[in-house]
Amino acid sequence: MRFTAVMNTLIIGATGGIGAATARVLAAQGDTLTLSGRNEATLTALAAELGAAHHAADVGYESHVRALLEGVPPPLDTLVYAAGAALPEPLKDADPGHVRAVWNANYFGALWTLKHGLGRLNAGGRVYLLGARPELVTARGFSQYAASKAALARAAEVARLEHRGVGITLVLPPAVETGLWAQVGRVPRGALGPDAVARALVTDRAGEAQAELRIDG
């Protein structure tokens, strides 16, 4: 696996808990960072803290994702997709706006990222997609979250077949203490801090690419 001396890294969803933690850990590693998220004020503050480039984007729009990828100086060494949404509700109450928001964040944004990002990666480059363990999300109210994360996992499998020159890793942590739980309720007891996920990702990047990165507490 060969990379440039300084890693060129894009983090999408950098304003969330895992995305921001990963940005800080990779900045400490010396990566040249480009950060993206929807909350422009939070994104600007994080970029200023880390000395990173930043571009606000709504991943639900392919045009936004394409423009974001086209604006990052090639080639990329690492691409992290950390955007996500839960918005749990029973199937009988499924709100079209909520359903679209969940699928845009968890699946379509990742799809556009793979479509426009894989060809911009260095040979041996790495892609990390934040997935979900099926046994943890097969729960009442989580139909769209579970389904969108399952779709992401299957799309990643096919992407590996189509792009043999890069590593595409589905990151599967347990419950993580992030702002996403504000959509759900209280944070589960024993949830990992986002820093633990970020450190696991950096450790994994130093080794051979694998299809899944299961992170345990």
Side-chain angles (χ1 to χ4, degrees), residues 91-117:
L91 274 170
K92 66 181 181 62
D93 298 325
D95 176 89
H98 292 171
V99 171
R100 282 191 293 270
V102 169
W103 278 85
N104 281 341
N106 296 344
Y107 179 74
F108 285 107
L111 174 65
W112 307 138
T113 297
L114 292 170
K115 177 180 177 180
H116 296 288

Side-chain angles (χ1 to χ4, degrees), residues 81-163:
Y81 187 87
L87 303 175
E89 57 195 358
L91 274 170
K92 66 181 181 62
D93 298 325
D95 176 89
H98 292 171
V99 171
R100 282 191 293 270
V102 169
W103 278 85
N104 281 341
N106 296 344
Y107 179 74
F108 285 107
L111 174 65
W112 307 138
T113 297
L114 292 170
K115 177 180 177 180
H116 296 288
L118 286 172
R120 303 181 68 82
L121 281 158
N122 251 331
R126 304 289 279 272
V127 178
Y128 289 93
L129 306 169
L130 265 293
R133 299 187 187 185
E135 69 273 16
L136 298 181
V137 299
T138 305
R140 294 171 190 243
F142 279 79
S143 63
Q144 300 311 299
Y145 184 82
S148 59
K149 291 294 188 178
L152 175 63
R154 301 292 77 77
E157 285 185 354
V158 175
R160 290 186 202 103
L161 298 176
E162 296 178 352
H163 294 269

Side-chain angles (χ1 to χ4, degrees), residues 7-216:
M7 298 261 194
N8 185 22
T9 296
L10 170 64
I11 301 175
I12 298 176
T15 53
I18 294 174
T22 301
R24 291 187 173 100
V25 171
L26 291 178
Q29 294 278 312
D31 285 32
T32 296
L33 293 178
T34 301
L35 309 179
S36 183
R38 289 182 64 185
N39 187 321
E40 192 153 9
T42 302
L43 182 65
T44 300
L46 180 64
E49 173 194 334
L50 301 179
H54 65 286
H55 301 279
D58 184 338
V59 297
Y61 294 96
E62 182 183 3
S63 59
H64 284 213
V65 177
R66 182 178 63 245
L68 169 63
L69 268 299
E70 289 175 348
V72 178
L76 276 168
D77 297 299
T78 310
L79 175 52
V80 180
Y81 187 87
L87 303 175
E89 57 195 358
L91 274 170
K92 66 181 181 62
D93 298 325
D95 176 89
H98 292 171
V99 171
R100 282 191 293 270
V102 169
W103 278 85
N104 281 341
N106 296 344
Y107 179 74
F108 285 107
L111 174 65
W112 307 138
T113 297
L114 292 170
K115 177 180 177 180
H116 296 288
L118 286 172
R120 303 181 68 82
L121 281 158
N122 251 331
R126 304 289 279 272
V127 178
Y128 289 93
L129 306 169
L130 265 293
R133 299 187 187 185
E135 69 273 16
L136 298 181
V137 299
T138 305
R140 294 171 190 243
F142 279 79
S143 63
Q144 300 311 299
Y145 184 82
S148 59
K149 291 294 188 178
L152 175 63
R154 301 292 77 77
E157 285 185 354
V158 175
R160 290 186 202 103
L161 298 176
E162 296 178 352
H163 294 269
R164 300 268 186 190
V166 300
I168 302 172
T169 299
L170 192 68
V171 182
L172 299 172
V176 181
E177 188 173 354
T178 71
L180 183 142
W181 288 100
Q183 304 172 14
V184 179
R186 65 181 180 83
V187 178
R189 182 177 300 176
L192 288 184
D195 288 351
V197 179
R199 290 192 299 269
L201 189 152
V202 171
T203 299
D204 180 82
R205 189 176 69 167
E208 293 300 317
Q210 54 184 329
E212 292 184 354
L213 173 58
R214 295 182 72 89
I215 303 169
D216 297 309

